[in-house]
Every structure is written in structure tokens, then in C-alpha cells.
Amino acid sequence: MAVQATETSSTSTVALGPAAALSCRECGERFALGPIFACEVCFGPLEVAYDLPGGDPESLRKRIAAGPDNIWRYAPLLPVPADVAGKPSLNPGFTKLVKADNLARELGVTGGLHVKDDSGNPTHSFKDRVVAIAVEAARAFGFTTLSCSSTGNLAGAVGAAAARAGFRSCVFIPHDLEAGKVVMAAVYGGDLVGIEGTYDDVNRFCSELIGDPIGEGWGFVNVNLRPYYGEGSKTLAYEICEQLGWRLPDNIVIPIASGSQLTKIDKGLKELIQVGLVEDKPYKLFGAQAEGCSPVSRAFKDGHDVVRPVKPDTIAKSLAIGNPADGPYVLDICRRTGGAVEDVDDEQIVDAIKLLARTEGIFAETAGGVTVGVLRKLIESGQLDPVGETVVLNTGDGLKTLDAVAPTTGPSATIRPNLDSFREAGLV
């Protein structure tokens, strides 16, 4: 959708590693690095453009391997200062890539199946990755308060990262989120504000706040810092390929909320190819949505390029964004790579959560139930070839969304404290 970039509109004086400018995805216009997120020419979204390292790929691999066991090992490919590893940070990333042989047998995957389990991050979701990058941009631009609009996980990640890095935080959420996510967002001591309405209402409010004097000095990680924040999702692509021995998988199944994670994973894969860290070959990206909030899936199935907003109604609240900003780009990428966008209903989400827990000992939040459920549906429909090597993402911890599984999950039996009662329960 983008065209050839023009000359940089102004010179950047901000030192963010290999980041050279901000580039419009639509018209290609370039701008100096700064806290802006929309093109002044066509109002398209901006993303970070780089002067990526050249030379011997093997030297770059060795440099990465010598780095810390977190996302800062990839500093040469990220918009962060060279000394980032020494700054106060939650140091997220380098989470487990679990070889899921039991789940593979259950689903009929023969080409190898892995779960990229991001529940091991500091606040137990992938959002720690994106926030860590946004914090470095906030430092560079002199912000004093970190903020965001959030469906839950991001609020907790911002609160924790701000506490660690010495920022004030004030985050905004829909008023009816899961109790666990509300507590986790509030416990870090920042301000947590519930707003009556959906996530899209919260996001609109934050956009208004940015333009008001009240918001002076505020860095909204997913609004005016969004170009940098989004780059954190690329580290999932980097880690998957490194953990596979520096090679591309055939298929990746990715949850869709705003759609940014999928678009940035694609960007990360292309950058790895560009610098020679992986051998170029075809790969397919698949988007996963909950049926109760599936505007991108609907557009994909209907052959549309426009994503029509919906009002969310699903237990997968972390994916409940009815007007996903990156939806059109997700459609482009899934079609370009030969992938697809699919959705599953709430019952299928719960079944998939239990399936992953039963087969691999991974307790996923509802978004993980969406990706595993969609993986199963894609295989059954023939849209994903089970002979290909596949990675499915679990982006958060099931302890955050206990309400989804609690009604159908509990003790196998309640007995008196004697053997006869145990025998009567029929468990042996």
C-alpha cells in the first residue's frame, strides 16, 4: 500500500540506535524521529525506518548471542540507544519456544508445532515487549508521565515499567475488565482510570487528552509513541527465528486486537531476511480473532479491503478492539503471504484453553485460547497445511482470565478424608 519514500522532511537529533526516521506507511513521506504518529501529508500511520547493520551476518549473530537473555540482545535492530541494557527496565523477552508434540498429535500437525509462550514476561503478557521500547522513546523525548488506553494487559505493563524506570503513570481502561487485570494494573502505584464504555471509547478519550494542556509531558505508549511501541512486537519474530536455529517457520498463528502485532512480526521477519540472519523462503501468517469481535476476519472472508468496526461481545477482552487500526494491513499481509484470518466463538476459546493446558501444561489467557482454537479450525478447514512447521502464539497468562474457565473447571470430586470415600468417587 505504501509508495517510494521521499527525502527526510527534517533532521533527527535523537539517538535511538539504527532508527533513522519515521516513514508513512501510505505515502512514504519521512519525518524526523519524534513523538508523532500520523503523517502530516496524508494522515497515514507512521513507522520507524532504519539504517540496518550490514556486513557479515555471522558477526551479527555472534553479537546477538553475546547479548543479554532479553529483547536488548536485538538492540542493533531496534529503536533504542546503544546502552539500553544498562538502563532501569523490566528486561522482557527471550521467553520459551515450547516444542508442543502432544498438542501436535492432538491436532494432526506433522511438520512440527511450537508454542511461543509469552506468559513468562515480567507482567505475564507480550505487552512488556512493546512498553519497554516505548519507555526508551519516552526517555529520549523528555516525557515525565507514561500513559495508555488498554484492554488490560497493557495497563499492567505500563504501570510496572513506569515504576521500574521512574516515571509517573496514568492509564485508562474500560470499566468492566476482568478483576485480575484491574488489580494487576493498579498494584504498581500509578493512577488507573476506568472509563464507562468500550476500548474504542477509551482510545478516543486518550486522543483528546493528547491535544489538551492536561496531557503536556505525557507519553501515550500506543498513541503518540505508537511507532516505537509497535517495534517491540518484532522481537517475537527475532526470538522465534533464533530459537529455531536462525530459520523461518512455515506458519505463524497470531492473535489480532489492533493488528499491530501481526504487522510488526511480518516486518521483523523481513528485516531478518534483509540483514541475512535467516535464509529467505516463503512463510504464511495467520490472524486469529474471537467471533464476538472479528471485523478483520469478516473482511478477509468477504474479500473486502475495508474493515468495518463492530461492537465487541466476547470473553477474549484483550482482543476486544472493534475498530482495529492495523486491520487493513493485516489483510494485506495475510493475503500476500498466503495465510488467512479466522475466528472462533467463546465456547471454542474455552475448549482451546483447556486443550493447551491438558496437552502441554501451558495455561493461556483467552487470547491464547483464540490462537489455539483458530489453529485447530485452520487445520480442519484445510487453510493451514499440517506438514509445515508451525508456531502458535500464547500472549498472556491464564491467571489473568480465570472467569473464562472457572464455570467449567474445578475439583474432580469432593470426598471425606478416607479411602472408602475416594473409591466411591470412581477415580480409581
Side-chain angles (χ1 to χ4, degrees):
M1 297 176 70
V3 297
Q4 183 64 38
T6 63
E7 292 297 317
T8 304
S9 299
S10 57
T11 302
S12 174
T13 59
V14 177
L16 288 174
L22 296 179
S23 176
C24 177
R25 285 199 219 172
E26 292 293 331
C27 72
E29 186 73 26
R30 288 166 69 99
F31 302 88
L33 298 172
I36 56 174
F37 60 98
C39 177
E40 296 175 3
V41 177
C42 72
F43 304 107
L46 301 180
E47 63 180 5
V48 179
Y50 293 93
D51 291 328
L52 291 173
D56 178 22
E58 188 57 35
S59 296
L60 181 55
R61 286 193 194 96
K62 291 179 180 178
R63 181 179 174 186
I64 290 170
D69 289 336
N70 54 54
I71 62 172
W72 306 134
R73 68 197 286 111
Y74 307 111
L77 306 174
L78 294 171
V80 295
D83 62 348
V84 63
K87 295 177 181 291
S89 170
L90 296 179
N91 298 325
F94 222 63
T95 55
K96 294 179 180 179
L97 184 69
V98 179
K99 194 169 188 299
D101 291 341
N102 297 328
L103 180 61
R105 283 192 293 271
E106 190 89 15
L107 299 180
V109 176
T110 59
L113 177 62
H114 297 81
V115 177
K116 182 58 173 170
D117 185 14
D118 247 21
S119 66
N121 275 312
T123 69
H124 307 288
S125 91
F126 93 95
K127 291 295 188 180
D128 290 321
R129 298 173 180 271
V130 291
V131 171
I133 305 296
V135 165
E136 295 311 310
R139 283 191 176 115
F141 303 138
F143 289 124
T144 56
T145 297
L146 287 183
S147 187
C148 69
S149 53
S150 173
T151 58
N153 284 327
L154 181 58
V158 168
R164 172 68 177 144
F167 287 84
R168 178 202 173 209
S169 69
C170 182
V171 300
F172 301 89
I173 59 173
H175 70 286
D176 59 349
L177 287 186
E178 302 97 334
K181 289 182 179 177
V182 173
V183 172
M184 190 166 189
V187 74
Y188 300 108
D191 292 316
L192 176 68
V193 181
I195 291 181
E196 296 176 358
T198 68
Y199 170 81
D200 298 292
D201 296 319
V202 178
N203 202 37
R204 281 191 292 271
F205 169 80
C206 289
S207 296
E208 293 177 14
L209 185 55
I210 288 175
D212 191 276
I214 297 174
E216 184 71 25
W218 287 37
F220 287 79
V221 300
N222 55 343
V223 188
N224 58 354
L225 295 176
R226 188 175 182 84
Y228 313 94
Y229 158 95
E231 296 295 284
S233 289
K234 296 192 313 183
T235 60
L236 281 161
Y238 299 159
E239 287 178 20
I240 288 169
C241 290
E242 183 180 0
Q243 289 168 325
L244 289 176
W246 289 115
R247 56 187 171 81
L248 296 165
D250 297 305
N251 311 299
I252 308 179
V253 184
I254 305 164
I256 297 174
S258 72
S260 175
Q261 186 181 72
L262 188 147
T263 64
K264 291 304 185 289
I265 286 176
D266 180 61
K267 186 182 182 191
L269 296 176
K270 290 191 292 185
E271 288 174 355
L272 291 180
I273 294 169
Q274 180 183 341
V275 299
L277 287 176
V278 297
E279 183 179 348
D280 190 4
K281 74 163 195 173
Y283 59 85
K284 295 182 179 182
L285 298 186
F286 296 86
Q289 292 203 290
E291 185 180 278
C293 186
S294 54
V296 186
S297 176
R298 292 183 190 178
F300 182 87
K301 293 174 183 178
D302 292 341
H304 295 162
D305 296 325
V306 176
V307 177
R308 297 183 180 275
V310 301
K311 185 175 180 178
D313 182 17
T314 173
I315 60 171
K317 293 184 179 181
S318 62
L319 304 184
I321 297 179
N323 188 18
D326 280 25
Y329 301 104
V330 169
L331 294 173
D332 288 346
I333 291 167
C334 290
R335 288 168 178 157
R336 170 177 57 80
T337 64
V341 187
E342 188 53 270
D343 56 82
V344 285
D345 63 30
D346 285 356
E347 183 178 349
Q348 291 169 315
I349 293 169
V350 173
D351 287 345
I353 291 172
K354 293 181 177 181
L355 173 63
L356 181 60
R358 173 171 58 81
T359 56
E360 299 298 342
I362 297 172
F363 184 19
E365 73 160 27
T366 48
V370 170
T371 53
V372 173
V374 163
L375 171 60
R376 177 161 55 184
K377 194 170 181 179
L378 290 168
I379 293 170
E380 290 173 349
S381 65
Q383 295 179 84
L384 187 148
D385 188 349
V387 303
E389 185 171 43
T390 300
V391 176
V392 61
L393 269 58
N394 172 44
T395 52
D397 195 316
L399 292 175
K400 293 187 174 190
T401 56
L402 289 173
D403 289 352
V405 295
T408 58
T409 307
S412 301
T414 300
I415 66 170
R416 298 180 300 279
N418 59 66
L419 290 175
D420 287 340
S421 182
F422 183 50
R423 291 189 182 96
E424 289 168 5
L427 300 178
V428 292

